[in-house]
Amino acid sequence: MTNLLQDRTGRTISLSEVTDDNWRAVADVAPHDEQRRFVAALGARYLLLSMRGGLWHSLAIQADGAVVGHVMWAHDSDDGTHWIGGMLIDAVEQGKGVGRAALQATIRLLSGLPGAREIRLSYHPDNAAAARLYTEAGFSPTGDTEDDEIVVARAVDTTPAAARG
């Protein structure tokens, strides 16, 4: 069994720090026009939130080393949860399984952090594609909302990787 995450075209999907070399590519990530009511028009907004807000951490989503998206995460020290926010896949990269693989990579990353026990995220109730993706990844509604978005959560799998097979 391979531990690599791939999209449907066979490219390896990975997360990397935003650096001096890739920040422009991350900032230029843009969704389809009709998705802009659900997510930022450009990855630059999420980068600024990470840089100026002090809470969020930005990561580049890469396919075989090329930037194809952005995701950010945060830790809520009040309740110990980890949050996924600002996941954005470039319009030309959508429909290839990049988002699904990037979500799994982010879940793996956050699950490996010390004290990780629950991962949360939120999405707009009209975003059916997001609802389907997150449900298939094991997220369930918490009953809470965040800025008119549905909050969903999943427990962190604490079973050692060797025991999972």
Side-chain angles (χ1 to χ4, degrees), residues 3 38 42 46 55 59-60 62 66 69 71 79 83 90 98 104 120-121 129 138 140 142 144 147 156 160 163 165:
N3 212 10
F38 305 133
L42 290 172
Y46 295 134
L55 176 67
L59 296 169
Q62 297 183 312
V71 66
D79 65 11
W83 283 78
D90 199 72
V98 173
Q104 289 303 319
R120 291 183 172 212
L121 55 85
S140 301
T142 64
D144 295 332
D147 297 328
V156 169

Side-chain angles (χ1 to χ4, degrees), residues 5 84 87 97-108 111 118-121 123 128-141 152-157:
L5 294 168
I84 298 173
M87 190 162 98
V98 173
R100 185 172 310 282
L103 178 61
Q104 289 303 319
T106 307
I107 291 168
R108 285 183 186 180
S111 295
E118 184 178 72
I119 301 170
R120 291 183 172 212
L121 55 85
Y123 64 89
R132 186 173 48 257
L133 174 66
Y134 301 140
T135 298
E136 290 172 1
F139 287 88
S140 301
V152 294
R154 66 168 273 159
V156 169
D157 184 0

Side-chain angles (χ1 to χ4, degrees), residues 26-32 35-36 38-46 59 61 67-72 85-91 94 98-99 102 134:
V26 174
D28 289 341
V29 170
H32 290 287
Q35 295 171 318
R36 292 182 181 187
F38 305 133
V39 294
L42 290 172
R45 175 169 169 71
Y46 295 134
L59 296 169
I61 299 170
V67 173
V68 295
H70 170 272
V71 66
M72 60 187 188
M87 190 162 98
L88 184 63
I89 307 301
D90 199 72
Q94 292 184 24
V98 173
Y134 301 140

Side-chain angles (χ1 to χ4, degrees), residues 75 80-82 109-119 155-158:
H75 178 254
T81 59
H82 288 80
L109 171 76
L110 297 179
S111 295
L113 295 176
R117 59 177 186 75
E118 184 178 72
I119 301 170
V156 169
D157 184 0
T158 57

